[in-house]
Amino acid sequence: MAAPLPPFAVQRLDHVVLRVRDLDRSEAFYRAVLGCEVARRRDDLGLRHLHAGASMIDLVAVDGPLGLRGGAAAGASARNLDHLCLRVAPFDEAALVAHLAAHGLAPHGPATRNFGAEGDGPSLYLDDPDGNTIELKGAPA
């Protein structure tokens, strides 16, 4: 029997989160070299959201509240990418959870509201087989 099709379609990459050693230096690089603009700063979390065309690049300080979750700074035994976010539609939490369950997966928890390229919207997080975190993100309210 074929696996059931997902109850959504991936539309595009919403954002990528990079763990960085120096937030100011990284922000300056992405602004000057790539032309990104700051959309929002969350200094309480050590987080900067940068517009990158229709998508976003989030910079997280490795020594900040969010960055510490990823362990040591990138190196031979530490990751630099925090998670991959895919914009999906529609975002029906019950259908998404049922689809994941049909594949033997469960989200990290219930949907939460998070900031992304289009604003605040619902998100579910799950892990791929290698432990990489994927965020499925819905439209802003």
Side-chain angles (χ1 to χ4, degrees), residues 16-20 23 30 57-61 80-83:
V16 172
V17 179
L18 300 175
R19 299 175 66 248
V20 300
L23 264 179
Y30 281 94
I57 297 171
D58 292 348
L59 304 174
V60 173
N80 194 40
L81 182 68
D82 183 77
H83 69 276

Side-chain angles (χ1 to χ4, degrees), residues 89-104:
F91 189 95
D92 177 336
E93 184 175 1
L96 291 168
V97 170
H99 176 70
L100 295 175
H103 291 276

